[in-house]
Amino acid sequence: MTDGHDASCADYGVTRRNLLRSAGLIGMAGVSTKMFGDVLTSTAYGATNGNILVVLSLRGGADGMSMMVPHAESAYYAARPNIAVKKGDLLRPDHTFGLHPSFKPLESLWDSGRMAAIHAVGLPTPNRSHFEAMELVEDADPGSSERIGWLNRVIGCFTSNDVFDGIQVGSTVMPTSLIGPEPSFATSDFTSLSAPWADHASLGPRVRSVLSTMYRDAGTVIGKAGQEALALDRRTGTIAAEEKKGPQHGAVYPEHHELGRALASSAALIRAGVGVRAIAVDFGGWDHHVDISWRISRQVEQMSKSIAAFLTDLGPDASRVTIVTLSEFGRRLGQNGAAGLDHGYGNAVFAFGAGVRGGYYANWPTLATDRRVDGDLAVTTDYRSVLAEILAARFPEVGVGTVFPGLTRTTLGFMSPY
């Protein structure tokens, strides 16, 4: 089916962009975490009890066939004589697929029906360049000359008009998915967003009062930006205070691990109730040209432990949070001479948490020679259809046709209707 244009956000690109342009702030979608003068925010919070999407980007091109293993395919084992995951080691196999054993920390999530594995997903046409493929995935508007990310279009559908609607956590590099006219920011440390005097018991309130009066009386764009920077400072202080409490509900994250740190910060952000709706998190290191067996085992284990801890850490807020993984492309079917895999095409996507109907999903093309694309697993499900299904189920105010222009959707059924 083809999605229509949702009136709830059909005109956001005009009204909100014009608002920014009239304020002289059209170039400020990506902000530095330490430059309050470059922040456009709102003193009114977004929905503090709304549903939240966490997009986990597996940078480097993860091998979906090592994670959601097509064990029924003899071609899989023939093409990977030294690196295939043994059928007897798989978690929760059905007649076609099984999970890599390093998903063990998420086994209870799978058993409770809150983890879905979706195969043969990817871009409509192959692209094996890391940079180009990720740009295409995160822009998600084929043929458009505008560089506006799909998550930026999502947050444009919310009525809050708030910089906390969409945030990159764990890195100060803004992903393409969040770039565009809607305000958002990237940070690796919420404490860095607080003013240096914010925690001073006597100085802080006095400085804030003086600056508030000065900015209010200025009555200019700069004055408004100053007032909103002070509002940002107050809200990030709430998040920083939540972070200082540490993980809640017995959650244990992997020690000294980038993804664990980012998801711990994301959990504090959500628990702080400042109105976030979309969180982007990067997890690199998936470009396994060499020795993939032990490398991907370690990656999947760290990812699984981090996600399990994150959902535990959220407590009752987990009922509002859906996680989806994305990677720029899959890997080749056949192993290379270094016991690794080169850049391929079709891939697997995973969804966790709220609204997910657990299990395996695929319009599986098989690995027969005549069904492959340049020797690789074919793509039968446009990755945008996966994302669109999540948005339609969890964010009814978001117009899928606005976020993914021209998409002809296929529905797999891995999400429960909202």
Side-chain angles (χ1 to χ4, degrees):
M1 66 179 179
T2 303
D3 283 280
H5 212 55
D6 192 321
S8 66
C9 64
D11 296 327
Y12 87 95
V14 175
T15 59
R16 293 185 68 184
R17 189 179 303 182
N18 286 346
L19 173 65
L20 290 172
R21 182 177 289 114
S22 66
L25 298 171
I26 190 66
M28 295 183 178
V31 304
S32 165
T33 59
K34 293 186 179 180
M35 295 177 64
F36 288 139
D38 283 354
V39 175
L40 178 68
T41 181
S42 170
T43 54
Y45 285 23
T48 57
N49 61 347
N51 290 337
I52 299 166
L53 177 63
V54 176
V55 181
L56 177 56
S57 294
L58 310 183
R59 306 280 181 181
D63 178 41
M65 283 187 283
S66 287
M67 293 191 287
M68 181 178 171
V69 180
H71 65 80
E73 296 271 3
S74 59
Y76 166 76
Y77 291 98
R80 302 183 177 192
N82 307 115
I83 64 172
V85 183
K86 296 178 181 177
K87 184 174 181 178
D89 292 339
L90 297 175
L91 289 178
R92 300 298 186 263
D94 70 358
H95 61 282
T96 304
F97 302 110
L99 297 174
H100 191 285
S102 291
F103 276 112
K104 183 72 174 178
L106 291 172
E107 193 171 30
S108 62
L109 192 72
W110 180 272
D111 292 344
S112 67
R114 294 185 295 146
M115 174 179 171
I118 308 152
H119 225 322
V121 178
L123 288 163
T125 56
N127 189 309
R128 295 176 177 82
S129 161
H130 287 295
F131 178 78
E132 290 181 5
M134 187 52 75
E135 284 285 301
L136 290 170
V137 166
E138 297 196 341
D139 182 82
D141 187 7
S144 173
S145 59
E146 293 188 359
R147 191 169 184 257
I148 300 176
W150 72 272
L151 272 179
N152 197 268
R153 295 193 292 273
V154 168
I155 62 179
C157 290
F158 301 135
T159 59
S160 48
N161 296 353
D162 186 55
V163 75
F164 274 81
D165 284 342
I167 306 175
Q168 167 80 13
V169 177
S171 169
T172 57
V173 178
M174 187 73 75
T176 297
S177 60
L178 277 171
I179 289 175
E182 309 306 328
S184 59
F185 67 94
T187 183
S188 59
D189 179 11
F190 284 103
T191 59
S192 69
L193 285 164
S194 295
W197 37 261
D199 293 330
H200 196 286
S202 60
L203 181 62
R206 285 187 292 161
V207 172
R208 183 175 285 110
S209 177
V210 170
L211 288 176
S212 180
T213 300
M214 181 180 70
Y215 288 134
R216 184 183 66 245
D217 293 345
T220 62
V221 170
I222 293 175
K224 178 175 171 56
Q227 291 180 70
E228 294 177 337
L230 292 175
L232 176 64
D233 170 62
R234 285 192 295 271
R235 293 164 71 182
T236 54
T238 302
I239 301 166
E242 197 67 38
E243 279 190 305
K244 288 179 182 178
K245 295 179 183 177
Q248 302 293 297
H249 310 288
V252 179
Y253 291 90
E255 292 186 5
H256 313 298
H257 194 267
E258 59 172 314
L259 180 59
R261 287 193 296 270
L263 289 180
S265 291
S266 298
L269 166 64
I270 293 168
R271 293 197 314 266
V274 295
V276 67
R277 304 300 306 279
I279 299 173
V281 177
D282 285 355
F283 180 26
W286 295 88
D287 195 17
H288 296 145
H289 291 278
V290 178
D291 295 331
I292 188 173
S293 294
W294 69 266
R295 295 180 188 276
I296 199 165
S297 178
R298 181 183 61 183
Q299 289 285 97
V300 172
E301 181 182 24
Q302 294 299 312
M303 178 177 70
S304 299
K305 287 181 176 179
S306 297
I307 291 174
F310 173 64
L311 292 173
T312 299
D313 197 1
L314 288 173
D317 284 313
S319 65
R320 301 190 291 122
V321 178
T322 306
I323 308 165
V324 64
T325 67
L326 286 178
S327 199
E328 59 264 46
F329 43 62
R331 313 300 292 191
R332 301 284 295 184
L333 170 61
Q335 68 182 60
N336 61 26
L341 294 164
D342 298 325
H343 301 175
Y345 188 29
N347 208 347
V349 168
F350 296 86
F352 313 89
V356 174
R357 288 173 168 166
Y360 298 110
Y361 296 84
N363 292 317
W364 185 242
T366 80
L367 297 176
T369 302
D370 62 348
R371 300 299 301 275
R372 301 177 203 167
V373 176
D374 298 330
D376 293 335
L377 172 65
V379 167
T380 57
T381 300
D382 189 315
Y383 77 99
R384 294 172 297 169
S385 286
V386 174
L387 299 175
E389 189 164 338
I390 296 173
L391 293 178
R394 302 297 295 172
F395 301 89
E397 69 271 46
V398 171
V400 173
T402 298
V403 177
F404 302 117
L407 172 65
T408 300
R409 281 181 60 193
T410 56
T411 300
L412 293 169
F414 71 95
M415 293 297 297
S416 297
Y418 185 62

